[in-house]
Amino acid sequence: MSSRDADRRAERPDSHPESSQRNWQEEGLGASSDTATRDNSEPEVEQLLEAVVERKNMWLALKQVERNSGAAGVDNMTVAQLRDYLREHWPRIREELLAGSYQPQPVLKVEIPKPGGKGMRMLGIPTVVDRLIQQALHQVLSPLFEPHFSESSYGFRPQRSAHQAVLKAQQHVREGRRWVVDIDLEKFFDRVNHDMLMSRLARRSKDKRVLRLIRRYLQAGMMSNGLTTARREGTPQGGPLSPLLSNILLDELDKELARRGHKFCRYADDCNVYVQSRSAGERVLKSLTIFLERRLRLKVNAEKSAVARPWQRKFLGYSFTSQREARLKVARESVPRLKGKLREIFRRGRGSNLRRLIEEQLTPLLRGWLNYFRLAEVKGIFEELDSWIRRELRSLIWRKWKRPFTRAKNLRQRGLEKERALKSAMNGRGPWWNAGAAHMNAAFPKSYFDRCGLLSLLEQRRRFQLAL
């Protein structure tokens, strides 16, 4: 029996057209084309480039780039400067694109910490002009490929989200697939094989000019410290086109998993396959490793990939309980990243007005984090974080008081008896110890921080659960 058989068995445009046209003429973004994209229709696959540079498509791309904002590329041009630049230079750029002579500029290498502080993630930031062209390409190519993507693929797709992927994973576990094959692709975005990707692009995009332009984007150099190095593989994260290209390549993995009858969820390069036994999972992991390396020339990270219980792994920041109902919870590995951001806010906020710190910095971060983890059904992490945040704020208050006399005076003003206030102020302990001690909890109870506007993760999570 082959491993494949064993696997199978184991398991916003403007509302006024005249205004829109006048704006386009003012921006100097070119005239319309007979092959322009039309509402509810796909462009001719052999004349895609005309659809890319057509006025309406470029206008939508420009607005999207402006909404996304972002850092400048190697030419230091900002998004705010883009329109003025296009008024003068767009006719030339458009002509070069149609003639096939346009050359993208190198991307700017930027490294950011990975979640949990485990290494660095490399980004490649294109210039704003190249971001505009990539966005225009994305808008034309996406309708060609999107209808053919797998229902089990959720990343970087319209009307799909990480929450949908997590809920589908929960459904698989609840149906009795109590083992997960957690596949980690080693430096996926850095190691995409260009020839493999281009061959899959060519299956639906027949305009060779578009294919040449995308290959040039793939091979555009990467600049770091003023030096540019050539690229022969990879599609660095940072440009509008990279997410779509990654889905085009990994769609072959999705099709293979579906052909074998597996239940799986994929979000970008994060793929989990749900099976009913460890032995089935081990066969799946082995055969998929061979498939990915031979068919797509992608390497599976053996150290990070595993066959395990779903509650022993995390998927998109979530994990599960081990009970039959497989309740969703915040994965423990997701907490350090939030704490790291909060610690930076607390470090910068020493001496700041507490209410302003909470309103302007803490609340937006906590709301965003809570919005993502609102599906969690286990409350323990939210209680722990609420307690930890209040202790950090009490620590800020203790640091701000500085002198023992000031501390004793302020503790008395917060309701402590004179003797207790004086003893607490003179204990010689550090801010963190005092922030967790009974005297600071009595002086600054939870109700105090509620009045200051501090968001309670536990209470907000409860409201989300009631609304579901």
Side-chain angles (χ1 to χ4, degrees), residues 223-259:
M223 181 176 289
S224 177
N225 298 321
L227 299 176
T228 301
T229 56
R231 287 191 291 124
R232 294 291 177 261
E233 63 178 3
T235 170
Q237 300 175 77
L241 202 52
S242 291
L244 175 61
L245 297 181
S246 69
N247 275 333
I248 290 172
L249 182 64
L250 289 176
D251 183 60
E252 191 151 340
L253 170 62
D254 299 340
K255 295 295 193 292
E256 180 67 13
L257 287 168
R259 193 180 66 79

Side-chain angles (χ1 to χ4, degrees), residues 410-421:
N410 290 334
L411 285 173
R412 288 190 64 191
Q413 290 177 348
R414 294 295 308 166
L416 269 68
E417 295 179 357
K418 180 179 179 180
E419 184 178 347
R420 184 185 180 190

Side-chain angles (χ1 to χ4, degrees), residues 66-201:
E66 289 177 333
R67 278 194 296 267
N68 291 341
S69 189
V74 296
D75 61 356
N76 293 318
M77 186 190 302
T78 66
V79 172
Q81 297 170 316
L82 180 57
R83 290 199 181 204
D84 288 340
Y85 182 86
L86 292 174
R87 287 190 181 97
E88 181 178 354
H89 296 282
W90 174 247
R92 172 186 57 79
I93 296 172
R94 183 177 184 275
E95 183 179 344
E96 290 178 359
L97 287 168
L98 291 172
S101 60
Y102 180 81
Q103 293 290 341
Q105 294 193 63
V107 296
L108 180 64
K109 180 179 179 180
V110 176
E111 292 184 325
I112 61 173
K114 289 184 178 181
K118 299 178 181 178
M120 303 295 289
R121 173 174 286 127
M122 183 179 68
L123 303 181
I125 310 300
T127 65
V128 290
V129 172
D130 283 326
R131 291 213 290 273
L132 174 70
I133 297 170
Q134 285 193 32
Q135 179 63 36
L137 281 165
H138 184 285
Q139 292 167 183
V140 169
L141 289 173
S142 184
L144 297 179
F145 290 91
E146 178 63 32
H148 306 280
F149 286 154
S150 168
E151 286 296 314
S152 298
S153 167
Y154 296 89
F156 309 120
R157 297 183 60 191
Q159 309 304 318
R160 286 177 168 261
S161 68
H163 285 167
Q164 291 174 330
V166 169
L167 290 172
K168 179 58 73 171
Q170 184 185 38
Q171 177 183 325
H172 293 326
V173 177
R174 285 179 169 176
E175 289 173 349
R177 297 172 181 87
R178 311 277 286 178
W179 291 88
V180 61
V181 183
D182 188 352
I183 303 171
D184 184 275
L185 296 176
E186 190 172 286
K187 297 183 179 179
F188 168 73
F189 284 94
D190 300 338
R191 294 186 174 176
V192 168
N193 183 279
H194 290 174
D195 292 335
M196 288 288 176
L197 175 57
M198 294 307 302
S199 68
R200 282 143 186 83
L201 270 167

Side-chain angles (χ1 to χ4, degrees), residues 375-394:
L375 299 180
E377 300 165 280
V378 179
K379 64 181 183 179
I381 289 290
F382 299 92
E383 288 181 311
E384 291 176 22
L385 282 170
D386 276 345
S387 177
W388 181 83
I389 291 168
R390 290 195 295 269
R391 185 169 179 177
E392 285 282 1
L393 291 173
R394 293 186 187 106

Side-chain angles (χ1 to χ4, degrees), residues 206-220:
K206 303 303 181 183
D207 192 329
K208 293 183 179 180
R209 299 167 300 170
V210 167
L211 296 176
R212 283 196 298 268
L213 179 59
I214 292 175
R215 186 177 280 275
R216 285 175 181 170
Y217 273 116
L218 291 172
Q219 295 180 341

Side-chain angles (χ1 to χ4, degrees), residues 5-23:
D5 291 334
D7 288 349
R8 188 182 295 112
R9 287 186 60 186
E11 305 287 313
R12 179 175 217 205
D14 293 346
S15 57
H16 302 289
E18 295 83 4
S19 174
S20 177
Q21 182 173 352
R22 185 165 57 253
N23 287 339

Side-chain angles (χ1 to χ4, degrees), residues 313-329:
R313 308 292 290 183
K314 69 179 179 70
F315 180 54
L316 302 178
Y318 282 85
S319 188
F320 304 93
T321 62
S322 58
Q323 291 89 350
R324 179 60 58 179
E325 63 269 24
R327 298 164 67 206
L328 286 170
K329 64 179 184 179

